[in-house]
Amino acid sequence: MSPSEDVVLRVDGLSARYLNDGKIIKAVNDVTFDVHRGESVGLFGESGAGKSTVGYAIMGLFERMARQMSSSAGDKEFKELWKLRDDARRRGLTSADVGRDLPGLEGRILFQGQDLLSMNEEDILKIVGKDITHIPQGTVMSLNPALSLKVQIFEAAWASGRQGDLPHKELAMSVMEKLDLVDFGDPEVRMAMNPTQLSVGEVQRILTAMALLPRPTLVIADEPTTAVDNTIRNWILDSIALARKEEDLSLLMINNDRTVIAETVDKVAVMSSGYIVEFGDVAMVLNSPGHPFSEDFLLSFPTMEMMRKIREKGLRLRGIPGSPPSMADLPSGCTYRTRCQHCKEICRTDVPDYREVEQGHWIRCYRYEEIRD
Ligand SMILES: Nc1ncnc2c1ncn2[C@@H]1O[C@H](COP(=O)(O)OP(=O)(O)OP(=O)(O)O)[C@@H](O)[C@H]1O
Ligand code: SF4
Ligand SMILES: [Mg+2]
């Protein structure tokens, strides 16, 4: 991707591998994209494609989580492989240099020019929760059930540092403003409540307000509307849109819902089996997808117009045939080849390069030009 001064986030050749039951899970593979200041980029694709893992990697959560998960599996090899990862990192080596797949992260994640992957945890915590915040898919467990909302929201505000300089009264007003933004009813009354007294929709609105409170540079929203009804979905998306407009916020929207992607992002990265297979302007990718996976995946969300055409032509709605390959045992060559109707011999040996086929439009497919023509 071309270098640019207003790039807020640059993910460059990122790979993320879990170790589970002695097997390496290739959850994210050679992922590269930029998010510019004020821009919204979507990560879109089927379940298990690696979208959330990209988010965890940016927020510095991936390795701690991956180590915990593999240690709870309890096998001996996990310790040796993580030790190999730590040794390789100290020596500046990658899995390719060592000659075997290692768990953990490789590549670069540049936030405002600083490589998050080369920072220690203490330095990452100066950025995450302040300049980069997260809206997770909310459950009551996302908040501490033992503390009132007031304590948790104020703690988040103080921890973010920026708001920490404000006197208590001004901080309280700033919190109220954000709660107003997400239409939280009477904030005075609600703030005295405990999270267990809230519905999932209310928890999701609180999490959204908490992520917007520090006036971050980048918000990572991971399926923020999946568990809520339409009214709350609209409140949440509107409050993010308003914050973007007022505060020049950049957004990484992780979602597998076409309508959320269409409404909220400027550019979209389509992910399949840990790879970005297509990246480009959202209207172009959604209306005229260039990668066979994007096309097949989008056909599982037919628009009214598509349904009309399908009915007129007497066709049946076609989903993606078969299941995605196991991330512990990806096929050689293009990972979509076992499900792709355009697969030819060339697709079987090496992973296709990720290449710019038109300005700003990136594709990972050998046969893009032939299929297009
Ligand atoms: N802690 C973990 N340990 C081992 N494998 C994991 C772990 N978390 C996720 N995975 C695997 O990594 C792959 C990517 O998962 P991820 O959650 O990033 O996908 P996703 O695109 O966010 O999916 P969804 O749309 O369902 O949220 C999947 O194959 C998943 O099973
Ligand atoms: S590289 Fe081959 S198998 Fe993969 S998407 Fe393109 S045509 Fe299909
Ligand atoms: Mg996910």
Side-chain angles (χ1 to χ4, degrees):
M1 303 235 159
S2 61
S4 164
E5 282 189 0
D6 70 345
V7 172
V8 165
L9 177 75
R10 167 158 297 170
V11 175
D12 183 14
L14 180 71
S15 77
R17 298 185 181 109
Y18 296 98
L19 176 61
N20 202 1
D21 237 355
K23 287 192 183 126
I24 294 283
I25 316 288
K26 295 184 173 178
V28 173
N29 299 300
D30 193 17
V31 157
T32 294
F33 64 93
D34 288 347
V35 182
H36 291 77
R37 189 166 305 281
E39 184 177 66
S40 171
V41 171
L43 294 184
F44 176 58
E46 63 194 335
S47 185
K51 305 177 299 294
S52 296
T53 304
V54 173
Y56 302 145
I58 298 167
M59 290 179 295
L61 299 173
F62 173 82
E63 284 214 359
R64 184 194 285 246
M65 250 176 49
R67 279 173 206 259
Q68 259 169 13
M69 297 296 285
S70 47
S71 88
S72 63
D75 62 39
K76 186 169 152 272
E77 201 192 13
F78 96 86
K79 276 193 185 148
E80 282 162 23
L81 280 173
W82 277 109
K83 192 169 162 298
L84 272 179
R85 152 64 59 215
D86 292 334
D87 289 346
R89 189 167 289 146
R90 265 192 297 277
R91 293 158 59 209
L93 302 177
T94 62
S95 293
D97 300 323
V98 174
R100 66 182 296 179
D101 287 328
L102 298 176
L105 296 173
E106 288 177 7
R108 293 188 313 156
I109 300 177
L110 300 175
F111 177 69
Q112 300 189 317
Q114 290 178 282
D115 189 359
L116 300 181
L117 296 192
S118 62
M119 284 184 188
N120 60 35
E121 206 160 302
E122 199 183 320
D123 287 335
I124 290 181
L125 286 176
K126 288 181 190 151
I127 296 176
V128 174
K130 303 177 174 81
D131 290 313
I132 304 177
T133 61
H134 180 216
I135 311 176
Q137 185 182 329
T139 65
V140 174
M141 297 309 287
S142 317
L143 294 164
N144 184 338
L147 296 175
S148 75
L149 287 178
K150 188 167 185 171
V151 171
Q152 295 187 62
I153 293 174
F154 275 66
E155 257 183 9
W158 271 307
S160 77
R162 288 209 192 120
Q163 306 279 340
D165 298 336
L166 294 180
H168 184 273
K169 200 168 154 209
E170 281 178 44
L171 177 61
M173 280 183 58
S174 175
V175 168
M176 294 302 170
E177 255 176 45
K178 287 294 181 276
L179 289 174
D180 257 1
L181 192 69
V182 291
D183 215 348
F184 194 57
D186 183 344
E188 293 280 6
V189 176
R190 300 296 179 100
M191 291 271 269
M193 286 178 156
N194 173 294
T196 52
Q197 296 171 279
L198 301 178
S199 68
V200 171
E202 286 167 333
V203 169
Q204 193 67 61
R205 277 182 278 170
I206 283 284
L207 293 170
T208 306
M210 282 164 81
L212 298 176
L213 192 57
R215 300 186 193 283
T217 308
L218 172 72
V219 169
I220 299 174
D222 192 346
E223 312 272 356
T225 56
T226 306
V228 298
D229 66 32
N230 254 346
T231 318
I232 292 166
R233 167 199 187 275
N234 294 342
W235 273 330
I236 289 167
L237 297 186
D238 287 351
S239 59
I240 297 173
L242 201 65
R244 280 190 62 206
K245 203 163 139 204
E246 287 182 353
E247 293 166 18
D248 212 15
L249 187 74
S250 304
L251 175 69
L252 183 63
M253 172 60 81
I254 297 173
N255 224 289
N256 51 23
D257 181 333
R258 176 199 178 119
T259 58
V260 173
I261 290 291
E263 277 176 45
T264 57
V265 309
D266 305 310
K267 293 177 186 162
V268 64
V270 182
M271 288 191 71
S272 167
S273 300
Y275 289 94
I276 293 182
V277 294
E278 180 159 11
F279 180 91
D281 172 76
V282 66
M284 181 198 58
V285 173
L286 295 187
N287 297 328
S288 175
H291 192 282
F293 170 79
S294 314
E295 188 176 7
D296 294 346
F297 186 59
L298 283 161
L299 277 173
S300 36
F301 305 89
T303 58
M304 300 291 272
E305 177 62 12
M306 278 162 67
M307 284 304 282
R308 191 179 57 76
K309 281 190 189 156
I310 287 169
R311 265 199 308 273
E312 270 174 17
K313 292 185 180 172
L315 300 172
R316 283 181 48 215
L317 189 59
R318 175 167 63 93
I320 298 184
S323 336
S326 157
M327 305 288 249
D329 188 21
L330 290 175
S332 62
C334 171
T335 50
Y336 194 50
R337 73 174 167 79
T338 53
R339 297 183 286 164
C340 178
Q341 57 177 319
H342 302 288
C343 176
K344 287 262 160 73
E345 202 48 41
I346 187 179
C347 312
R348 293 177 191 277
T349 41
D350 296 313
V351 176
D353 286 340
Y354 187 51
R355 58 200 173 92
E356 194 170 23
V357 290
E358 292 131 3
Q359 199 183 359
H361 185 199
W362 294 70
I363 291 274
R364 195 184 277 281
C365 172
Y366 286 113
R367 304 196 60 223
Y368 167 75
E369 286 78 6
E370 285 170 80
I371 295 167
R372 277 254 116 154
D373 293 342

